[in-house]
Amino acid sequence: TVLVIGACGQLGFELTHELRQLYGPANVIAADVRPPKQAELQQEGPFELLDVLDRDRLYALVQQYRPKQIYHLAALLSATAEKDPKFGWKLNMDGLLNVLDAAVEYKVAQVYWPSSIAVFGPDTPRDHTPQLTIMNPNTVYGISKLAGEQWCEWYHKKYGLDVRSLRYPGLIGYKSLPGGGTTDYAVDIYHKAIAGQSYECFLKEDTYLPMMYMPDALKATIDLMHAPADQIKVRSSYNLGAMSFSPAEITASIQRHFPDFEVTYRPDSRQQIADSWPKSIDDSQAERDWGWQPQYNLDKMTDDMLLHLQPEPARA
Ligand code: VAH
């Protein structure tokens, strides 16, 4: 079996679906701290309530299901963690440590844990940011992700735990809504375009950020977990890239379908977070070690997003 912690989140929902298609729905246990809004999580396969800070409950579930893999996705994202820093640190850090300890205790074969481009900070080289470079994150989320990477490396070295990780860029998909990130504008903007409304963007129009379409992120995660262990040279977290764009560019891409679509710009506190992150990522080590190759660029993503967000009749 496979245990997905944080199954109701933007990535968790899609990854659970993907894993259920891969391994059979009954073999993938979806777990989250509250009941799912998305009915399919409970209808497609098993669902368990789990607060990852409740160590006893976590150990009981791992003992009951004896998962071969645990995907630990529960966390506060960048904007949310800045508003609640102490809980952000507690959930992101203690949650990860509880999962790593449970995995060692019950000899779980593999653990997956997502990191983020948020581990880089304002003095990191921002273009083609290297795998190994200056890391001085200045957001609570970034601090917790950098510390988490180093804990993963330590558990691998100390206990031989096969824990693997990817530094995701902003993720964009049509099946789930984002949850409190700085890159959420890139999902919201498509929903506004489809609804025939204008969009007020919370980042400046020339804010370049590394981004990735969800199908690419899911493929990267599965490919990483299926790669033979001796190919995995990075046990902190792999840089992972696909494309970079600004709000102005995604707007132009959408206007290829909706010429009258309008966007206004009202930067808020998330602008400072975005300004501390890389503009583009050098993911050549992921390419070398386990053959990473993104499939989607901005226009291909836009075409697919709008096709799937389009109400049924218009799709004829
Ligand atoms: C966030 N979507 O904005 C997440 C991600 C790189 C961005 O880590 O916090």
Side-chain angles (χ1 to χ4, degrees):
T1 57
V2 173
L3 173 62
V4 181
I5 301 171
C8 298
Q10 179 196 8
L11 173 62
F13 177 73
E14 295 230 32
L15 198 51
T16 301
H17 182 71
E18 192 75 14
L19 292 166
R20 283 176 166 172
Q21 286 186 306
L22 213 58
Y23 300 127
N27 299 319
V28 180
I29 294 81
D32 210 306
V33 67
R34 62 182 69 83
K37 289 188 286 298
Q38 313 98 324
E40 52 269 57
L41 270 179
Q42 271 171 314
Q43 285 158 0
E44 237 182 30
F47 180 87
E48 294 282 0
L49 280 178
L50 167 67
D51 174 349
V52 72
L53 294 177
D54 179 347
R55 221 174 146 89
D56 296 343
R57 171 76 178 143
L58 172 64
Y59 274 55
L61 279 182
V62 177
Q63 189 173 13
Q64 175 188 345
Y65 287 103
R66 302 311 295 260
K68 214 164 66 64
Q69 291 177 323
I70 299 179
Y71 288 76
H72 173 42
L73 311 173
L76 288 200
L77 293 184
S78 56
T80 312
E82 283 308 290
K83 290 191 210 114
D84 191 351
K86 291 298 183 325
F87 181 62
W89 171 256
K90 184 175 172 61
L91 173 62
N92 294 6
M93 208 70 272
D94 294 351
L96 172 62
L97 290 170
N98 287 348
V99 169
L100 294 173
D101 285 339
V104 169
E105 175 77 19
Y106 292 100
K107 299 183 178 29
V108 174
Q110 284 186 304
V111 175
Y112 178 76
W113 175 74
S115 183
S116 158
I117 59 167
V119 294
F120 301 112
D123 45 14
T124 303
R126 299 185 69 199
D127 293 304
H128 307 299
T129 300
Q131 175 70 42
L132 286 179
T133 184
I134 299 160
M135 326 276 284
N136 289 323
N138 62 3
T139 63
V140 170
Y141 174 69
I143 293 165
S144 74
K145 286 298 183 184
L146 181 55
E149 289 189 1
Q150 301 184 339
W151 273 114
C152 289
E153 199 163 25
W154 188 86
Y155 271 74
H156 174 70
K157 186 163 54 76
K158 175 106 175 153
Y159 301 110
L161 181 64
D162 187 358
V163 49
R164 305 184 186 190
S165 179
L166 295 170
R167 288 168 181 163
Y168 289 126
L171 300 185
I172 298 157
Y174 57 84
K175 289 183 186 165
S176 56
L177 291 175
T182 298
T183 58
D184 296 2
Y185 90 87
V187 178
D188 304 340
I189 194 166
Y190 285 112
H191 289 266
K192 290 289 185 199
I194 284 286
Q197 296 162 3
S198 63
Y199 178 60
E200 186 178 86
C201 182
F202 56 74
L203 296 180
K204 285 193 300 218
E205 62 183 306
D206 61 348
T207 307
Y208 267 87
L209 284 170
M211 297 280 195
M212 180 176 286
Y213 194 30
M214 190 60 82
D216 269 339
L218 297 174
K219 183 172 185 322
T221 310
I222 304 291
D223 288 358
L224 173 79
M225 294 302 272
H226 282 173
D230 61 3
Q231 283 178 227
I232 305 301
K233 309 282 188 252
V234 173
R235 289 290 177 172
S236 51
S237 186
Y238 275 95
N239 276 11
L240 190 75
M243 55 181 144
S244 293
F245 56 77
S246 64
E249 289 179 325
I250 188 172
T251 299
S253 181
I254 292 172
Q255 286 168 338
R256 291 156 51 251
H257 294 264
F258 296 92
D260 304 334
F261 177 53
E262 275 177 19
V263 174
T264 53
Y265 297 92
R266 230 159 82 103
D268 66 15
S269 61
R270 287 168 284 191
Q271 185 66 45
Q272 283 67 45
I273 297 175
D275 289 343
S276 76
W277 289 351
K279 288 183 184 161
S280 61
I281 298 289
D282 170 0
D283 60 359
S284 48
Q285 175 128 31
E287 200 177 326
R288 238 184 353 264
D289 291 0
W290 44 275
W292 166 241
Q293 273 302 330
Q295 305 298 315
Y296 286 86
N297 63 19
L298 176 55
D299 285 345
K300 195 174 169 195
M301 172 173 73
T302 295
D303 296 350
D304 202 60
M305 280 289 281
L306 295 177
L307 177 74
H308 286 96
L309 287 174
Q310 198 84 342
E312 202 55 31
R315 224 192 273 182

Short mmCIF file of all heavy atoms in Angstrom, two decimals, residues 186-211:
data_model
loop_
_atom_site.label_atom_id
_atom_site.label_comp_id
_atom_site.label_asym_id
_atom_site.label_seq_id
_atom_site.Cartn_x
_atom_site.Cartn_y
_atom_site.Cartn_z
N ALA A 186 -1.28 32.11 -10.86
CA ALA A 186 -1.19 31.47 -12.19
C ALA A 186 -2.27 30.42 -12.38
O ALA A 186 -2.47 29.93 -13.49
CB ALA A 186 0.19 30.86 -12.37
N VAL A 187 -2.96 30.05 -11.31
CA VAL A 187 -4.12 29.15 -11.43
C VAL A 187 -5.39 30.01 -11.46
O VAL A 187 -6.23 29.88 -12.36
CB VAL A 187 -4.21 28.16 -10.24
CG1 VAL A 187 -5.46 27.28 -10.36
CG2 VAL A 187 -2.96 27.29 -10.16
N ASP A 188 -5.47 30.97 -10.54
CA ASP A 188 -6.67 31.82 -10.43
C ASP A 188 -6.97 32.53 -11.75
O ASP A 188 -8.12 32.68 -12.14
CB ASP A 188 -6.47 32.89 -9.33
CG ASP A 188 -6.14 32.27 -7.96
OD1 ASP A 188 -6.43 31.06 -7.79
OD2 ASP A 188 -5.55 32.95 -7.10
N ILE A 189 -5.90 32.93 -12.46
CA ILE A 189 -6.08 33.74 -13.67
C ILE A 189 -6.85 32.99 -14.75
O ILE A 189 -7.68 33.56 -15.47
CB ILE A 189 -4.69 34.22 -14.19
CG1 ILE A 189 -4.82 35.33 -15.23
CG2 ILE A 189 -3.88 33.06 -14.74
CD1 ILE A 189 -3.52 36.08 -15.53
N TYR A 190 -6.65 31.67 -14.83
CA TYR A 190 -7.38 30.86 -15.84
C TYR A 190 -8.87 30.79 -15.50
O TYR A 190 -9.74 30.89 -16.37
CB TYR A 190 -6.80 29.44 -15.90
CG TYR A 190 -5.47 29.32 -16.59
CD1 TYR A 190 -4.31 29.00 -15.87
CD2 TYR A 190 -5.34 29.53 -17.97
CE1 TYR A 190 -3.08 28.88 -16.50
CE2 TYR A 190 -4.11 29.42 -18.61
CZ TYR A 190 -2.99 29.08 -17.87
OH TYR A 190 -1.76 28.95 -18.48
N HIS A 191 -9.17 30.64 -14.20
CA HIS A 191 -10.57 30.56 -13.78
C HIS A 191 -11.31 31.86 -14.10
O HIS A 191 -12.45 31.85 -14.54
CB HIS A 191 -10.65 30.24 -12.27
CG HIS A 191 -10.22 28.84 -11.93
ND1 HIS A 191 -11.11 27.80 -11.82
CD2 HIS A 191 -8.99 28.30 -11.71
CE1 HIS A 191 -10.45 26.68 -11.54
NE2 HIS A 191 -9.17 26.96 -11.46
N LYS A 192 -10.61 32.98 -13.92
CA LYS A 192 -11.23 34.28 -14.21
C LYS A 192 -11.49 34.42 -15.71
O LYS A 192 -12.54 34.87 -16.15
CB LYS A 192 -10.33 35.44 -13.74
CG LYS A 192 -10.23 35.57 -12.24
CD LYS A 192 -11.51 36.08 -11.64
CE LYS A 192 -11.34 36.30 -10.14
NZ LYS A 192 -12.62 36.37 -9.43
N ALA A 193 -10.51 34.00 -16.52
CA ALA A 193 -10.65 34.11 -17.98
C ALA A 193 -11.85 33.29 -18.45
O ALA A 193 -12.70 33.77 -19.21
CB ALA A 193 -9.37 33.63 -18.66
N ILE A 194 -11.96 32.07 -17.93
CA ILE A 194 -13.07 31.18 -18.34
C ILE A 194 -14.40 31.78 -17.91
O ILE A 194 -15.41 31.68 -18.61
CB ILE A 194 -12.89 29.79 -17.68
CG1 ILE A 194 -11.78 29.02 -18.39
CG2 ILE A 194 -14.19 28.99 -17.67
CD1 ILE A 194 -12.19 28.48 -19.76
N ALA A 195 -14.41 32.45 -16.75
CA ALA A 195 -15.67 33.01 -16.22
C ALA A 195 -16.02 34.34 -16.91
O ALA A 195 -17.03 34.96 -16.59
CB ALA A 195 -15.53 33.23 -14.71
N GLY A 196 -15.15 34.76 -17.83
CA GLY A 196 -15.41 36.02 -18.56
C GLY A 196 -15.23 37.24 -17.69
O GLY A 196 -15.78 38.32 -17.95
N GLN A 197 -14.46 37.06 -16.60
CA GLN A 197 -14.19 38.20 -15.70
C GLN A 197 -12.77 38.72 -15.92
O GLN A 197 -11.94 38.05 -16.53
CB GLN A 197 -14.36 37.75 -14.23
CG GLN A 197 -15.77 37.32 -13.90
CD GLN A 197 -15.82 36.49 -12.61
OE1 GLN A 197 -14.81 36.29 -11.94
NE2 GLN A 197 -17.00 35.99 -12.28
N SER A 198 -12.50 39.92 -15.37
CA SER A 198 -11.11 40.41 -15.40
C SER A 198 -10.42 39.86 -14.16
O SER A 198 -11.06 39.31 -13.26
CB SER A 198 -11.09 41.93 -15.39
OG SER A 198 -11.67 42.37 -14.17
N TYR A 199 -9.09 39.96 -14.12
CA TYR A 199 -8.34 39.40 -13.00
C TYR A 199 -7.43 40.46 -12.40
O TYR A 199 -6.74 41.17 -13.13
CB TYR A 199 -7.49 38.20 -13.45
CG TYR A 199 -6.66 37.62 -12.33
CD1 TYR A 199 -7.27 37.11 -11.18
CD2 TYR A 199 -5.26 37.61 -12.38
CE1 TYR A 199 -6.53 36.58 -10.12
CE2 TYR A 199 -4.51 37.09 -11.32
CZ TYR A 199 -5.15 36.58 -10.20
OH TYR A 199 -4.41 36.07 -9.16
N GLU A 200 -7.47 40.59 -11.07
CA GLU A 200 -6.57 41.50 -10.37
C GLU A 200 -5.41 40.67 -9.80
O GLU A 200 -5.60 39.87 -8.90
CB GLU A 200 -7.30 42.21 -9.23
CG GLU A 200 -6.43 43.29 -8.56
CD GLU A 200 -7.19 44.02 -7.47
OE1 GLU A 200 -7.19 43.51 -6.32
OE2 GLU A 200 -7.78 45.07 -7.75
N CYS A 201 -4.22 40.88 -10.39
CA CYS A 201 -3.07 40.04 -10.06
C CYS A 201 -2.30 40.62 -8.87
O CYS A 201 -2.04 41.82 -8.83
CB CYS A 201 -2.14 39.97 -11.28
SG CYS A 201 -0.71 38.90 -11.01
N PHE A 202 -1.93 39.73 -7.91
CA PHE A 202 -1.27 40.24 -6.69
C PHE A 202 0.26 40.32 -6.83
O PHE A 202 0.96 40.59 -5.88
CB PHE A 202 -1.65 39.39 -5.47
CG PHE A 202 -1.36 37.91 -5.61
CD1 PHE A 202 -0.08 37.41 -5.55
CD2 PHE A 202 -2.43 37.00 -5.80
CE1 PHE A 202 0.18 36.05 -5.67
CE2 PHE A 202 -2.19 35.63 -5.92
CZ PHE A 202 -0.88 35.16 -5.86
N LEU A 203 0.74 40.04 -8.08
CA LEU A 203 2.17 40.26 -8.36
C LEU A 203 2.31 41.26 -9.50
O LEU A 203 1.39 41.40 -10.31
CB LEU A 203 2.85 38.93 -8.76
CG LEU A 203 2.89 37.82 -7.70
CD1 LEU A 203 3.61 36.59 -8.26
CD2 LEU A 203 3.56 38.28 -6.41
N LYS A 204 3.49 41.93 -9.58
CA LYS A 204 3.74 42.89 -10.67
C LYS A 204 3.80 42.13 -12.00
O LYS A 204 4.16 40.97 -12.04
CB LYS A 204 5.08 43.60 -10.43
CG LYS A 204 5.03 44.67 -9.34
CD LYS A 204 6.27 45.57 -9.35
CE LYS A 204 7.52 44.76 -9.13
NZ LYS A 204 8.55 45.37 -8.31
N GLU A 205 3.48 42.82 -13.09
CA GLU A 205 3.34 42.13 -14.38
C GLU A 205 4.65 41.54 -14.89
O GLU A 205 4.63 40.63 -15.69
CB GLU A 205 2.73 43.06 -15.41
CG GLU A 205 3.51 44.30 -15.75
CD GLU A 205 2.71 45.15 -16.76
OE1 GLU A 205 2.32 44.60 -17.80
OE2 GLU A 205 2.48 46.32 -16.45
N ASP A 206 5.79 42.06 -14.39
CA ASP A 206 7.08 41.53 -14.91
C ASP A 206 7.75 40.61 -13.90
O ASP A 206 8.98 40.44 -13.92
CB ASP A 206 8.00 42.70 -15.26
CG ASP A 206 8.31 43.56 -14.03
OD1 ASP A 206 7.62 43.34 -13.00
OD2 ASP A 206 9.22 44.40 -14.10
N THR A 207 6.99 39.99 -13.00
CA THR A 207 7.55 39.08 -11.98
C THR A 207 7.75 37.69 -12.57
O THR A 207 6.79 36.92 -12.71
CB THR A 207 6.62 39.00 -10.76
OG1 THR A 207 6.34 40.32 -10.30
CG2 THR A 207 7.25 38.18 -9.63
N TYR A 208 9.01 37.41 -12.95
CA TYR A 208 9.31 36.09 -13.53
C TYR A 208 9.44 35.05 -12.43
O TYR A 208 10.13 35.29 -11.44
CB TYR A 208 10.63 36.14 -14.31
CG TYR A 208 10.44 36.45 -15.75
CD1 TYR A 208 10.37 37.77 -16.17
CD2 TYR A 208 10.24 35.43 -16.68
CE1 TYR A 208 10.14 38.07 -17.50
CE2 TYR A 208 10.02 35.72 -18.01
CZ TYR A 208 9.96 37.04 -18.41
OH TYR A 208 9.73 37.33 -19.72
N LEU A 209 8.77 33.90 -12.58
CA LEU A 209 8.91 32.81 -11.61
C LEU A 209 8.97 31.48 -12.34
O LEU A 209 8.32 31.31 -13.38
CB LEU A 209 7.72 32.80 -10.63
CG LEU A 209 7.71 33.88 -9.54
CD1 LEU A 209 6.37 33.91 -8.81
CD2 LEU A 209 8.86 33.65 -8.55
N PRO A 210 9.72 30.53 -11.80
CA PRO A 210 9.72 29.17 -12.36
C PRO A 210 8.37 28.52 -12.09
O PRO A 210 7.84 28.63 -10.98
CB PRO A 210 10.83 28.45 -11.57
CG PRO A 210 11.62 29.53 -10.90
CD PRO A 210 10.67 30.67 -10.68
N MET A 211 7.80 27.91 -13.15
CA MET A 211 6.47 27.32 -13.04
C MET A 211 6.45 25.96 -13.75
O MET A 211 7.33 25.65 -14.55
CB MET A 211 5.44 28.24 -13.72
CG MET A 211 5.31 29.60 -13.08
SD MET A 211 4.28 29.52 -11.61
CE MET A 211 3.95 31.27 -11.38
#
